[in-house]
Amino acid sequence: MTKHIWMMSDRPDDDGDPSLLVQTRPKTKRPPLYKVLLLNDDYTPMEFVVHVLERFFGMTHAEAFEIMLTVHKKGVAVVGVFSHEIAETKVGQVMDFARRHQHPLQCTMEREE
Ligand code: TYC
């Protein structure tokens, strides 16, 4: 690949604005990703949490059971990483479903660094 260092004022598009002289590549920053977290509590039944993980996060029963146990033992676990819009949708679906079944299950999202 041939590299060429443009000298001051020799670029084909140079209009002499000094504030634009150093931008060589267009910025293509990827949008941030968000972790969806499930929190432990003392009342939500284990089987309900397993069902939530199967239903909204596409996990197999075995995967869902394992993650549910991690949350139960450690207090919290990441259940998926998504775009902001998808993460918000998942959190909303879980919170709605839990509320409709009168369980105190909490689901939140957090920006990934
Ligand atoms: N701690 C709950 C119980 O013993 C089970 C549970 C697991 C609740 C995970 C919430 O996110 C959770 N019934």
Side-chain angles (χ1 to χ4, degrees):
M1 211 228 287
T2 308
K3 288 221 181 100
H4 180 81
I5 308 297
W6 292 106
M7 302 300 290
M8 285 244 266
S9 299
D10 72 348
R11 289 169 306 143
D13 65 336
D14 184 39
D15 63 358
D17 182 338
S19 67
L20 302 177
L21 284 176
V22 288
Q23 181 66 303
T24 53
R25 263 177 315 191
K27 285 196 186 116
T28 57
K29 243 180 14 179
R30 283 187 295 272
L33 291 173
Y34 290 79
K35 298 181 283 191
V36 171
L37 309 168
L38 205 59
L39 277 60
N40 188 37
D41 67 73
D42 293 339
Y43 306 103
T44 304
M46 290 185 174
E47 273 313 318
F48 183 82
V49 178
V50 170
H51 180 71
V52 161
L53 293 171
E54 291 171 335
R55 183 175 180 136
F56 299 115
F57 297 92
M59 297 183 192
T60 65
H61 190 78
E63 288 166 349
F65 198 90
E66 192 177 313
I67 300 286
M68 179 281 297
L69 270 190
T70 301
V71 179
H72 177 69
K73 288 190 239 177
K74 307 226 177 199
V76 63
V78 175
V79 299
V81 177
F82 307 98
S83 69
H84 188 271
E85 188 175 349
I86 301 291
E88 266 192 336
T89 301
K90 301 279 181 194
V91 169
Q93 286 173 331
V94 173
M95 294 300 283
D96 257 34
F97 193 65
R99 187 185 38 76
R100 291 208 312 273
H101 290 84
Q102 304 192 0
H103 294 310
L105 181 64
Q106 294 294 306
C107 184
T108 60
M109 59 194 271
E110 184 175 287
R111 200 179 143 147
E112 192 178 61
E113 294 314 321

